[in-house]
Amino acid sequence: MRRSRTEVGRWRMQRQAQRRKARWLEGQSRRNMRIHVIRKCQVNKQRNSLLFAIHDRWA
């Protein structure tokens, strides 16, 4: 069945919007992952420095 020109246009626009949204979401999750990794790294550094500070005190 042949689609009307407006229908095809609407369908294409919809697909484009979906793709844009998916790409944006993917980017967001990547950015969030990087933030999480940085935070986790900082927390680990703090924890390690505390451990060593306590260890040095008792040694």
Side-chain angles (χ1 to χ4, degrees):
M1 195 177 111
R2 192 157 183 263
R3 306 272 183 205
S4 71
R5 204 169 180 180
T6 53
E7 213 175 353
V8 170
R10 197 183 303 125
W11 183 71
R12 277 189 183 152
M13 290 285 282
Q14 213 171 9
R15 234 175 82 194
Q16 199 177 16
Q18 279 176 340
R19 246 191 252 131
R20 197 177 292 132
K21 198 174 183 181
R23 210 173 291 139
W24 181 82
L25 276 170
E26 197 179 327
Q28 282 297 100
S29 72
R30 274 213 191 96
R31 279 189 281 280
N32 285 343
M33 279 307 294
R34 222 174 70 220
I35 290 165
H36 281 306
V37 166
I38 291 165
R39 280 200 190 132
K40 207 162 102 179
C41 194
Q42 285 173 343
V43 166
N44 282 345
K45 273 183 187 171
Q46 284 174 346
R47 196 176 292 141
N48 282 344
S49 64
L50 278 174
L51 272 174
F52 286 118
I54 292 166
H55 184 73
D56 286 344
R57 188 190 236 177
W58 299 116

